[in-house]
Amino acid sequence: MLPVLEAETRILSLTHPLNPQDDLEWVLLSAAAGRILAQPVSSQLDFPHWDNSAMDGYAVRQADVATSCPDAPTALTVVEEIPAGYQPQQTIQPGQAARILTGAMMPPGADAVVMQEETQREGDRVYILSAPTQQQFVRRRGEFYRAGDRLLPAGVRLGAAEIAVLAAAQCVTIPVYRRLRVAILSTGDELVSPDQPLRPGQIVDSNQYALAALVAEAGAEPLMLGIVPDQPDALQTAIAQAVSTADVVLSSGGVSVGDYDYVDRLLEALGAKIHIRAIAIKPGKPLTFATFKASQSHPPTAYFGLPGNPVSALVTFWRFVLPALRKRAGLSAGWGPAWIWGRSPHDLNADGKRETYLWGTLRVTEEGHEFSQSPGSFSSGNLINLAQTNALAQVPVGQTRILAGTPIRLMQTGGGAIAFP
Ligand SMILES: Nc1nc2c(c(=O)[nH]1)N[C@H]1C(S)=C(S)[C@@H](COP(=O)(O)OP(=O)(O)OC[C@H]3O[C@@H](n4cnc5c(N)ncnc54)[C@H](O)[C@@H]3O)O[C@H]1N2
Ligand code: MOO
Ligand SMILES: [Mg+2]
């Protein structure tokens, strides 16, 4: 069985990003949050756009006030008032100052700002009580960035700070990668959708909904293709249709060694190359990863045959599918899981045969990251105690017990912001 890290490496090496030419679309700035930039963005403007004041106060000629102090203030004549957004009309001459407000353009002739608290105003005269240095409280034009400088590289996800940069640089339509299309199908004769009454032996299809939620959370478009029975013809048709419409296909179920586990056989029949059939991970061992060659009508499609057990499907999504989706979607870095180190106040147990992932809650305490395993059964069929968790603790192969207080590697999952007690 393939070790987890090798499986991740193999999957990522076979996953190719979208094409910055063919897979680019332009979206309005107001709709760009969460999208991935497909071209670098450079500025047409200097930042700041002009010399401006960092304080409310007075724009002065530094040489005029070089000896000013509270006991020997310098008196200057205020010749203009410069609020933000106004273009100064006067050049400051020796013995003159301008009233200036934060963010307002520096007037020609002035080379420093004295903050209001260090001045005293009397009519059209201002007394300067301190000696500024040259350019004190002046934000110089181009000091942060110059026109032509690269503001954002391609391949970054656009969060609030990136959106602010694009707005300030007056980019109103943004080149982003199109959203990935991810087809999802559930396989199994026993499955019924959540709105159907259950007959004996039937199981509700939860994977389809969970996987669609995960795909949407990842910024891709889920295509929910429904439940497919364990009949080779129907399954082959469904897989072929999924492959022809999607960039990535996720099926769940039918990948183990059972009599009705047809997925691998059908993938081969459809011409896919199977790269992985099982991984040394618990939960999630029977996982199939295959690729379909690109054709004229569609780009290469990656296929993940996830195990049917509900917890196994989610854990393998987080561990293997999500990094592949991030890379395929055009992100230039940060594909893998968010790992952090922490400690558990209880012993953690595993069988030692496969790399084991235990689900639970991660919090920040004064001592650092604390992980508490969920109460209840750690069966891969028990999806109930997976709810409200935000991390998986990793127990390496060969270890059957991690003693309380020992550093452990933790993987953050889902929307899973770390909880504060
Ligand atoms: N002889 C062996 N049997 C099994 C092995 C093995 O190595 N040798 N591996 C076990 C492990 S581990 C897993 S995980 C499962 C995976 O099996 P499949 O991927 O073939 O999945 P199914 O057999 O179709 O279903 C397993 C289980 O999950 C339920 N299921 C399936 N789809 C859904 C869905 N969409 N929503 C909710 N639940 C679903 C299904 O009813 C079964 O209970 O194989 C073990 N067996
Ligand atoms: O490894 Mo399977 O995924 O436990 O149930
Ligand atoms: Mg099976």
Side-chain angles (χ1 to χ4, degrees):
M1 257 186 303
L2 196 63
V4 170
L5 194 59
E6 270 180 49
E8 181 190 24
T9 307
R10 191 177 296 180
I11 290 168
L12 283 174
S13 73
L14 290 159
T15 299
H16 303 292
L18 290 176
N19 182 308
Q21 277 91 43
D22 303 344
D23 298 313
L24 178 146
E25 63 188 31
W26 293 84
V27 295
L28 289 177
L29 179 61
S30 54
R35 303 299 296 270
I36 299 169
L37 197 60
Q39 285 177 355
V41 171
S42 299
S43 177
Q44 312 287 328
L45 302 167
D46 287 336
F47 280 87
H49 313 322
W50 5 81
D51 290 1
N52 69 75
S53 175
M55 292 287 171
D56 298 319
Y58 291 86
V60 301
R61 298 168 67 98
Q62 190 264 345
D64 282 356
V65 292
T67 60
S68 299
C69 64
D71 294 334
T74 309
L76 299 172
T77 305
V78 179
V79 295
E80 193 173 19
E81 169 125 354
I82 312 173
Y86 168 87
Q87 182 168 10
Q89 304 296 310
Q90 315 253 16
T91 298
I92 304 302
Q93 308 290 346
Q96 294 183 341
R99 172 75 171 132
I100 196 163
L101 295 152
T102 303
M105 262 178 109
M106 283 294 283
D111 57 7
V113 170
V114 180
M115 64 197 288
Q116 189 170 314
E117 293 85 332
E118 292 175 358
T119 66
Q120 211 172 310
R121 179 77 180 262
E122 281 177 22
D124 69 349
R125 295 184 77 68
V126 62
Y127 292 90
I128 305 295
L129 308 178
S130 68
T133 53
Q134 279 271 343
Q135 305 300 334
Q136 171 179 282
F137 298 136
V138 179
R139 297 188 290 214
R140 301 297 306 277
R141 174 176 183 157
E143 177 183 318
F144 305 152
Y145 281 89
R146 295 202 164 273
D149 281 354
R150 170 75 48 87
L151 297 178
L152 295 170
V156 296
R157 193 181 293 280
L158 301 174
E162 292 75 23
I163 295 285
V165 168
L166 293 169
Q170 298 189 302
C171 300
V172 288
T173 53
I174 315 297
V176 296
Y177 285 105
R178 67 172 174 79
R179 283 187 201 281
L180 285 184
R181 288 186 294 269
V182 181
I184 303 164
L185 37 98
S186 293
T187 74
D189 282 342
E190 76 283 24
L191 300 178
V192 291
S193 57
D195 57 352
Q196 296 298 308
L198 271 186
R199 290 203 304 275
Q202 292 189 320
I203 288 181
V204 178
D205 170 22
S206 56
N207 289 350
Q208 174 116 214
Y209 296 86
L211 292 171
L214 290 168
V215 165
E217 217 172 77
E221 182 191 346
L223 310 170
M224 295 175 75
L225 300 189
I227 298 169
V228 189
D230 291 319
Q231 291 162 14
D233 288 351
L235 195 50
Q236 182 161 342
T237 306
I239 292 175
Q241 193 219 335
V243 168
S244 67
T245 51
D247 301 296
V248 177
V249 178
L250 309 178
S251 65
S252 67
V255 287
S256 185
V257 295
D259 298 342
Y260 305 102
D261 293 337
Y262 295 120
V263 171
D264 285 20
R265 252 173 287 166
L266 298 176
L267 288 171
E268 279 168 331
L270 287 165
K273 185 158 174 37
I274 298 188
H275 306 279
I276 295 175
R277 291 175 195 271
I279 303 174
I281 186 171
K282 186 183 166 77
K285 173 179 67 171
L287 185 150
T288 296
F289 176 68
T291 51
F292 283 84
K293 276 213 194 77
S295 77
Q296 281 203 317
S297 53
H298 65 91
T301 304
Y303 192 103
F304 288 88
L306 303 178
N309 278 321
V311 177
S312 312
L314 268 77
V315 168
T316 50
F317 181 95
W318 283 317
R319 187 66 190 88
F320 303 111
V321 180
L322 190 53
L325 292 185
R326 290 181 180 133
K327 183 172 181 190
R328 185 97 171 90
L331 262 190
S332 57
W335 307 316
W339 295 106
I340 53 174
W341 286 90
R343 290 179 161 79
S344 164
H346 309 288
D347 292 356
L348 300 178
N349 299 306
D351 68 8
K353 294 184 193 130
R354 296 181 259 160
E355 188 168 305
T356 299
Y357 289 77
L358 301 167
W359 44 103
T361 313
L362 174 63
R363 293 187 201 84
V364 179
T365 68
E366 304 231 313
E367 284 75 46
H369 295 120
E370 187 189 276
F371 173 82
S372 307
Q373 219 178 321
S374 270
S377 161
F378 273 73
S379 155
S380 57
N382 179 12
L383 52 77
I384 310 296
N385 70 347
L386 187 62
Q388 295 291 290
T389 64
N390 61 357
L392 298 169
Q394 179 203 49
V395 184
V397 174
Q399 287 200 33
T400 51
R401 171 162 294 187
I402 295 185
L403 295 176
T406 311
I408 38 171
R409 257 183 119 204
L410 301 164
M411 194 181 122
Q412 295 182 64
T413 56
I418 301 176
F420 289 85

